[in-house]
Amino acid sequence: MSTIATETVRLAADRRQPGERAHLTTRLDDFATTRQKVGKQEELRMRIRKSMRDAVIAALAVIAVGIAACNQFEPRDKRFYYRALWNFALREDLAELDSEFNGVDFGHSNLYENLLLTGGKDVAAIDDRARKETLAFIATKPQLNPNEEAIAPTYMRLAWRAQNTFDEAHALHRATYDIMASDEPDKDRALHNVLAYYQQSDYAITAKRLDHHRLDQFPYSKTFRTRFPLFNATIWSYHYLQVAVYDPLRAAHSLDEKKQAVRPILATYRGYLAQPPVQWTFMPLTAELSPAFAARYQEIANIFDNLHMLHDNISDILASEALGTWEEKRAEIYRIVNSYYLASADAANPMIVKTSLEREHHH
């Protein structure tokens, strides 16, 4: 009822007899109550509409932020390892060597996480604290390889694709050790199969030999090894162990011979951990430490040497002050991975060392 109608009823009530007046007064009270209810309902509807409008605005804001953030998201398309009867032969038969490799996995991730979080400037944090953490982990003789995403969550978020490139190359490393440690009768065929499986991946490092000295001449190259010589020598000691065992394992004919063959290498490696070889000026190469393996399986040896150089390049990037922000470091890491390391870039990769036949064909 409108205000004018209500007033008309009130005036009419004033002119009526007391009984009629009471009746009309009751109607007026009913009208007032109804109007209050309508007002409250309308207020409630307005509140609901406002809440819905606010919710829609908030949802649109979340979607907008999500779309912007998508540029930082990466698919995590992990691949299962190549399955064969020789899987885990190293763990089962040469556990002492296997546990050392598990320690190596911790060292790289722990280093990257600490370089990133400290800005790569704090010598004590890297050469003392982080290195000793790695040595302490190695001393536990871990029976399983650690979860690297748990060790270096910040680095994994920064450059997960680079880490996946490492993971797949490390899986190839492990497969070659398993084949060498096993009683697989046709090791050539087994190694050919695991190489073919690895190269099916978009994350495969080129099997051609990169010019490692040119790769060592970026503006930020040698930042890490110069600033943190102890940890760098420790990393290179890992790489020594990783490539030095191939020829002794390949030459041994029985499991006992294999155990005997790796012991002096383990002793040398542990000596390097105690006294890091800071006098080394370049990382160990497969052809220098396992020449027979490198000659027979040249592509695999190239992949491992390229992998180890990639580790050095990323250490330099994370330690470099010239790449001051995390975004700059991420962009440079991915530029390196994309341009120089993925197998798909072989045709145009200027860092690949050409054979004489390839050079003649080019001219």
Side-chain angles (χ1 to χ4, degrees):
M1 177 176 283
S2 68
T3 304
I4 296 175
T6 303
E7 185 63 18
T8 302
V9 171
R10 189 186 64 77
L11 292 172
D14 290 342
R15 293 194 294 268
R16 299 299 177 91
Q17 295 298 317
E20 295 176 333
R21 190 182 303 157
H23 173 70
L24 291 173
T25 300
T26 301
R27 286 184 59 195
L28 281 173
D29 292 341
D30 291 343
F31 291 150
T33 301
T34 300
R35 191 165 56 188
Q36 288 178 350
K37 288 181 178 178
V38 170
K40 289 181 178 178
Q41 289 173 350
E42 182 62 24
E43 182 182 358
L44 180 60
R45 280 195 291 270
M46 290 179 65
R47 287 181 179 176
I48 291 173
R49 283 198 293 269
K50 183 175 184 302
S51 297
M52 292 178 66
R53 185 173 63 248
D54 292 346
V56 169
I57 292 172
L60 291 174
V62 169
I63 291 172
V65 171
I67 291 173
C70 277
N71 292 330
Q72 304 298 320
F73 293 160
E74 295 177 286
R76 297 203 168 193
D77 47 344
K78 285 280 189 182
R79 232 173 41 141
F80 204 72
Y81 54 81
Y82 184 94
R83 284 168 288 185
L85 292 175
W86 41 256
N87 284 154
F88 306 113
L90 185 74
R91 181 171 302 167
E92 293 171 2
D93 296 332
L94 294 170
E96 186 179 13
L97 178 59
D98 183 70
S99 72
E100 298 291 354
F101 290 141
N102 295 332
V104 172
D105 290 342
F106 178 91
H108 279 303
S109 297
N110 189 43
L111 171 62
Y112 288 165
E113 184 75 359
N114 279 280
L115 283 175
L116 192 59
L117 294 180
T118 62
K121 302 174 185 175
D122 190 338
V123 174
I126 302 302
D127 254 357
D128 190 10
R129 191 183 67 224
R131 189 176 65 88
K132 288 183 177 177
E133 288 172 354
T134 297
L135 296 177
F137 182 79
I138 292 172
T140 66
K141 301 191 180 304
Q143 296 182 355
L144 299 173
N145 51 319
N147 182 344
E148 294 187 59
E149 291 196 46
I151 298 166
T154 314
Y155 170 72
M156 299 295 169
R157 286 196 295 273
L158 178 80
W160 180 86
R161 186 157 58 83
Q163 181 59 32
N164 204 32
T165 302
F166 286 141
D167 288 346
E168 297 212 7
H170 292 162
L172 179 63
H173 246 322
R174 293 295 181 129
T176 57
Y177 298 137
D178 282 342
I179 292 169
M180 290 296 173
S182 73
D183 55 3
E184 166 61 45
D186 191 347
K187 289 183 168 49
D188 286 351
R189 183 182 59 81
L191 286 167
H192 171 79
N193 289 344
V194 295
L195 175 61
Y197 179 75
Y198 172 73
Q199 292 183 314
Q200 291 170 4
S201 169
D202 290 338
Y203 298 92
I205 293 172
T206 180
K208 295 183 178 179
R209 187 165 68 88
L210 292 173
D211 185 339
H212 300 112
H213 290 281
R214 284 186 65 191
L215 286 170
D216 208 15
Q217 295 173 6
F218 293 120
Y220 47 79
S221 293
K222 303 181 182 179
T223 301
F224 172 70
R225 77 184 68 164
T226 301
R227 191 172 298 162
F228 308 106
L230 289 178
F231 210 147
N232 180 70
T234 304
I235 293 289
W236 283 356
S237 300
Y238 303 159
H239 294 166
Y240 158 82
L241 177 67
Q242 286 177 304
V243 298
V245 295
Y246 282 118
D247 274 3
L249 284 176
R250 185 167 173 270
H253 298 292
S254 67
L255 181 57
D256 285 341
E257 287 183 10
K258 289 180 171 62
K259 290 179 179 178
Q260 292 295 328
V262 299
R263 279 177 184 160
I265 297 172
L266 286 170
T268 301
Y269 167 65
R270 288 163 183 159
Y272 289 152
L273 294 185
Q275 296 291 331
V278 293
Q279 70 278 10
W280 290 358
T281 58
F282 204 75
M283 68 176 193
L285 295 171
T286 308
E288 295 172 352
L289 295 165
S290 284
F293 177 89
R296 191 173 185 89
Y297 309 109
Q298 191 175 56
E299 290 183 307
I300 295 176
N302 287 342
I303 290 169
F304 294 157
D305 289 340
N306 296 342
L307 161 71
H308 296 163
M309 176 59 84
L310 178 57
H311 271 302
D312 282 6
N313 286 148
I314 292 182
S315 295
D316 286 334
I317 291 169
L318 294 177
S320 173
E321 294 173 8
L323 300 164
T325 68
W326 286 14
E327 282 304 314
E328 289 173 334
K329 293 181 189 300
R330 174 193 172 99
E332 182 61 14
I333 289 171
Y334 282 172
R335 188 186 75 81
I336 290 291
V337 172
N338 287 340
S339 300
Y340 300 109
Y341 292 96
L342 295 184
S344 59
D346 280 4
N349 188 341
M351 294 294 180
I352 289 177
V353 177
K354 300 282 192 301
T355 65
S356 57
L357 184 62
E358 288 171 328
R359 285 195 295 271
E360 290 174 8
H361 179 73
H362 179 73
H363 292 296

